[in-house]
PDB file of all heavy atoms in Angstrom:
ATOM      1  N   GLU W1668      40.938  52.785 -65.917  1.00  0.00           N
ATOM      2  CA  GLU W1668      40.142  52.348 -64.745  1.00  0.00           C
ATOM      3  C   GLU W1668      40.540  52.958 -63.542  1.00  0.00           C
ATOM      4  O   GLU W1668      41.649  53.467 -63.395  1.00  0.00           O
ATOM      5  CB  GLU W1668      40.306  50.781 -64.689  1.00  0.00           C
ATOM      6  CG  GLU W1668      41.627  50.324 -64.325  1.00  0.00           C
ATOM      7  CD  GLU W1668      41.690  48.759 -64.332  1.00  0.00           C
ATOM      8  OE1 GLU W1668      40.788  48.097 -64.576  1.00  0.00           O
ATOM      9  OE2 GLU W1668      42.898  48.244 -64.145  1.00  0.00           O
ATOM     10  N   LYS W1669      39.719  52.949 -62.470  1.00  0.00           N
ATOM     11  CA  LYS W1669      39.983  53.652 -61.245  1.00  0.00           C
ATOM     12  C   LYS W1669      41.255  53.025 -60.566  1.00  0.00           C
ATOM     13  O   LYS W1669      41.472  51.808 -60.784  1.00  0.00           O
ATOM     14  CB  LYS W1669      38.765  53.484 -60.352  1.00  0.00           C
ATOM     15  CG  LYS W1669      37.624  54.320 -60.799  1.00  0.00           C
ATOM     16  CD  LYS W1669      37.013  55.030 -59.521  1.00  0.00           C
ATOM     17  CE  LYS W1669      35.908  55.986 -59.901  1.00  0.00           C
ATOM     18  NZ  LYS W1669      36.418  57.450 -60.093  1.00  0.00           N
ATOM     19  N   GLY W1670      41.883  53.824 -59.758  1.00  0.00           N
ATOM     20  CA  GLY W1670      43.058  53.347 -59.055  1.00  0.00           C
ATOM     21  C   GLY W1670      42.681  52.716 -57.750  1.00  0.00           C
ATOM     22  O   GLY W1670      41.466  52.439 -57.492  1.00  0.00           O
ATOM     23  N   TYR W1671      43.623  52.379 -56.947  1.00  0.00           N
ATOM     24  CA  TYR W1671      43.413  51.748 -55.601  1.00  0.00           C
ATOM     25  C   TYR W1671      44.381  52.201 -54.609  1.00  0.00           C
ATOM     26  O   TYR W1671      44.688  51.471 -53.644  1.00  0.00           O
ATOM     27  CB  TYR W1671      43.446  50.218 -55.842  1.00  0.00           C
ATOM     28  CG  TYR W1671      44.770  49.678 -56.469  1.00  0.00           C
ATOM     29  CD1 TYR W1671      45.872  49.401 -55.703  1.00  0.00           C
ATOM     30  CD2 TYR W1671      44.809  49.527 -57.827  1.00  0.00           C
ATOM     31  CE1 TYR W1671      47.031  48.960 -56.256  1.00  0.00           C
ATOM     32  CE2 TYR W1671      45.957  49.082 -58.460  1.00  0.00           C
ATOM     33  CZ  TYR W1671      47.027  48.838 -57.665  1.00  0.00           C
ATOM     34  OH  TYR W1671      48.243  48.384 -58.269  1.00  0.00           O
ATOM     35  N   PHE W1672      44.964  53.399 -54.733  1.00  0.00           N
ATOM     36  CA  PHE W1672      46.012  53.850 -53.824  1.00  0.00           C
ATOM     37  C   PHE W1672      45.575  54.546 -52.623  1.00  0.00           C
ATOM     38  O   PHE W1672      46.202  54.397 -51.602  1.00  0.00           O
ATOM     39  CB  PHE W1672      47.087  54.686 -54.639  1.00  0.00           C
ATOM     40  CG  PHE W1672      47.590  53.967 -55.791  1.00  0.00           C
ATOM     41  CD1 PHE W1672      47.294  54.378 -57.066  1.00  0.00           C
ATOM     42  CD2 PHE W1672      48.393  52.776 -55.684  1.00  0.00           C
ATOM     43  CE1 PHE W1672      47.760  53.711 -58.277  1.00  0.00           C
ATOM     44  CE2 PHE W1672      48.860  52.156 -56.774  1.00  0.00           C
ATOM     45  CZ  PHE W1672      48.566  52.536 -58.044  1.00  0.00           C
ATOM     46  N   ASP W1673      44.478  55.305 -52.767  1.00  0.00           N
ATOM     47  CA  ASP W1673      44.041  55.966 -51.543  1.00  0.00           C
ATOM     48  C   ASP W1673      43.027  55.029 -50.907  1.00  0.00           C
ATOM     49  O   ASP W1673      41.892  55.190 -50.742  1.00  0.00           O
ATOM     50  CB  ASP W1673      43.225  57.231 -52.028  1.00  0.00           C
ATOM     51  CG  ASP W1673      42.879  58.116 -50.732  1.00  0.00           C
ATOM     52  OD1 ASP W1673      43.570  57.978 -49.749  1.00  0.00           O
ATOM     53  OD2 ASP W1673      41.866  58.906 -50.835  1.00  0.00           O
ATOM     54  N   THR W1674      43.699  54.015 -50.239  1.00  0.00           N
ATOM     55  CA  THR W1674      42.940  52.984 -49.584  1.00  0.00           C
ATOM     56  C   THR W1674      43.729  52.476 -48.340  1.00  0.00           C
ATOM     57  O   THR W1674      44.879  52.829 -48.187  1.00  0.00           O
ATOM     58  CB  THR W1674      42.795  51.740 -50.475  1.00  0.00           C
ATOM     59  OG1 THR W1674      44.069  51.338 -50.892  1.00  0.00           O
ATOM     60  CG2 THR W1674      41.896  52.039 -51.671  1.00  0.00           C
ATOM     61  N   ARG W1675      43.087  51.708 -47.478  1.00  0.00           N
ATOM     62  CA  ARG W1675      43.721  51.163 -46.310  1.00  0.00           C
ATOM     63  C   ARG W1675      43.605  49.647 -46.416  1.00  0.00           C
ATOM     64  O   ARG W1675      42.725  49.100 -47.008  1.00  0.00           O
ATOM     65  CB  ARG W1675      43.228  51.703 -45.062  1.00  0.00           C
ATOM     66  CG  ARG W1675      43.440  53.189 -44.846  1.00  0.00           C
ATOM     67  CD  ARG W1675      43.299  53.588 -43.416  1.00  0.00           C
ATOM     68  NE  ARG W1675      43.736  54.978 -43.256  1.00  0.00           N
ATOM     69  CZ  ARG W1675      42.992  56.057 -43.332  1.00  0.00           C
ATOM     70  NH1 ARG W1675      41.737  55.958 -43.603  1.00  0.00           N
ATOM     71  NH2 ARG W1675      43.516  57.279 -43.199  1.00  0.00           N
ATOM     72  N   ILE W1676      44.463  49.028 -45.579  1.00  0.00           N
ATOM     73  CA  ILE W1676      44.259  47.562 -45.442  1.00  0.00           C
ATOM     74  C   ILE W1676      44.117  47.377 -43.898  1.00  0.00           C
ATOM     75  O   ILE W1676      44.886  47.868 -43.067  1.00  0.00           O
ATOM     76  CB  ILE W1676      45.696  46.849 -45.821  1.00  0.00           C
ATOM     77  CG1 ILE W1676      46.209  47.264 -47.129  1.00  0.00           C
ATOM     78  CG2 ILE W1676      45.547  45.312 -45.690  1.00  0.00           C
ATOM     79  CD1 ILE W1676      45.365  46.745 -48.341  1.00  0.00           C
ATOM     80  N   ILE W1677      43.130  46.585 -43.551  1.00  0.00           N
ATOM     81  CA  ILE W1677      43.010  46.096 -42.164  1.00  0.00           C
ATOM     82  C   ILE W1677      43.475  44.671 -42.115  1.00  0.00           C
ATOM     83  O   ILE W1677      43.236  43.886 -43.135  1.00  0.00           O
ATOM     84  CB  ILE W1677      41.601  46.262 -41.623  1.00  0.00           C
ATOM     85  CG1 ILE W1677      41.615  46.067 -40.053  1.00  0.00           C
ATOM     86  CG2 ILE W1677      40.579  45.375 -42.282  1.00  0.00           C
ATOM     87  CD1 ILE W1677      40.530  46.663 -39.345  1.00  0.00           C
ATOM     88  N   TYR W1678      44.176  44.289 -41.069  1.00  0.00           N
ATOM     89  CA  TYR W1678      44.806  42.964 -41.002  1.00  0.00           C
ATOM     90  C   TYR W1678      45.023  42.571 -39.652  1.00  0.00           C
ATOM     91  O   TYR W1678      44.865  43.273 -38.701  1.00  0.00           O
ATOM     92  CB  TYR W1678      46.155  42.892 -41.871  1.00  0.00           C
ATOM     93  CG  TYR W1678      47.192  43.782 -41.409  1.00  0.00           C
ATOM     94  CD1 TYR W1678      48.302  43.228 -40.557  1.00  0.00           C
ATOM     95  CD2 TYR W1678      47.265  45.161 -41.686  1.00  0.00           C
ATOM     96  CE1 TYR W1678      49.224  44.024 -40.043  1.00  0.00           C
ATOM     97  CE2 TYR W1678      48.318  45.954 -41.140  1.00  0.00           C
ATOM     98  CZ  TYR W1678      49.292  45.421 -40.344  1.00  0.00           C
ATOM     99  OH  TYR W1678      50.287  46.177 -39.927  1.00  0.00           O
ATOM    100  N   VAL W1679      45.524  41.330 -39.488  1.00  0.00           N
ATOM    101  CA  VAL W1679      45.919  40.925 -38.151  1.00  0.00           C
ATOM    102  C   VAL W1679      47.438  40.897 -38.012  1.00  0.00           C
ATOM    103  O   VAL W1679      48.133  40.251 -38.747  1.00  0.00           O
ATOM    104  CB  VAL W1679      45.293  39.464 -37.861  1.00  0.00           C
ATOM    105  CG1 VAL W1679      45.789  38.868 -36.600  1.00  0.00           C
ATOM    106  CG2 VAL W1679      43.843  39.497 -37.836  1.00  0.00           C
ATOM    107  N   SER W1680      47.850  41.703 -37.034  1.00  0.00           N
ATOM    108  CA  SER W1680      49.333  41.721 -36.719  1.00  0.00           C
ATOM    109  C   SER W1680      49.692  40.507 -35.883  1.00  0.00           C
ATOM    110  O   SER W1680      48.972  40.309 -34.858  1.00  0.00           O
ATOM    111  CB  SER W1680      49.626  43.043 -36.028  1.00  0.00           C
ATOM    112  OG  SER W1680      50.797  42.919 -35.361  1.00  0.00           O
ATOM    113  N   GLU W1681      50.762  39.888 -36.132  1.00  0.00           N
ATOM    114  CA  GLU W1681      51.170  38.602 -35.369  1.00  0.00           C
ATOM    115  C   GLU W1681      52.504  38.710 -34.707  1.00  0.00           C
ATOM    116  O   GLU W1681      53.453  39.283 -35.453  1.00  0.00           O
ATOM    117  CB  GLU W1681      51.147  37.451 -36.243  1.00  0.00           C
ATOM    118  CG  GLU W1681      49.810  37.142 -36.975  1.00  0.00           C
ATOM    119  CD  GLU W1681      49.740  35.742 -37.664  1.00  0.00           C
ATOM    120  OE1 GLU W1681      50.762  35.048 -37.527  1.00  0.00           O
ATOM    121  OE2 GLU W1681      48.731  35.567 -38.272  1.00  0.00           O
ATOM    122  N   LYS W1682      52.639  38.130 -33.566  1.00  0.00           N
ATOM    123  CA  LYS W1682      53.933  38.144 -32.944  1.00  0.00           C
ATOM    124  C   LYS W1682      54.064  36.886 -32.144  1.00  0.00           C
ATOM    125  O   LYS W1682      52.980  36.321 -31.652  1.00  0.00           O
ATOM    126  CB  LYS W1682      54.185  39.270 -31.968  1.00  0.00           C
ATOM    127  CG  LYS W1682      54.930  40.459 -32.660  1.00  0.00           C
ATOM    128  CD  LYS W1682      55.188  41.561 -31.638  1.00  0.00           C
ATOM    129  CE  LYS W1682      55.855  42.655 -32.292  1.00  0.00           C
ATOM    130  NZ  LYS W1682      55.708  43.954 -31.561  1.00  0.00           N
ATOM    131  N   GLY W1683      55.233  36.467 -31.785  1.00  0.00           N
ATOM    132  CA  GLY W1683      55.376  35.291 -30.847  1.00  0.00           C
ATOM    133  C   GLY W1683      55.518  33.964 -31.488  1.00  0.00           C
ATOM    134  O   GLY W1683      55.322  33.906 -32.788  1.00  0.00           O
ATOM    135  N   PRO W1684      55.775  32.982 -30.697  1.00  0.00           N
ATOM    136  CA  PRO W1684      55.953  31.547 -31.260  1.00  0.00           C
ATOM    137  C   PRO W1684      54.694  31.059 -31.874  1.00  0.00           C
ATOM    138  O   PRO W1684      53.556  31.482 -31.510  1.00  0.00           O
ATOM    139  CB  PRO W1684      56.333  30.743 -30.035  1.00  0.00           C
ATOM    140  CG  PRO W1684      55.850  31.588 -28.803  1.00  0.00           C
ATOM    141  CD  PRO W1684      55.966  32.958 -29.233  1.00  0.00           C
TER     142      PRO W1684
END
Side-chain angles (χ1 to χ4, degrees):
Chain W
E1668 66 185 356
K1669 288 225 173 267
Y1671 53 88
F1672 303 113
D1673 186 26
T1674 55
R1675 291 196 172 94
I1676 310 285
I1677 190 157
Y1678 64 98
V1679 171
S1680 157
E1681 302 191 4
K1682 262 185 184 161

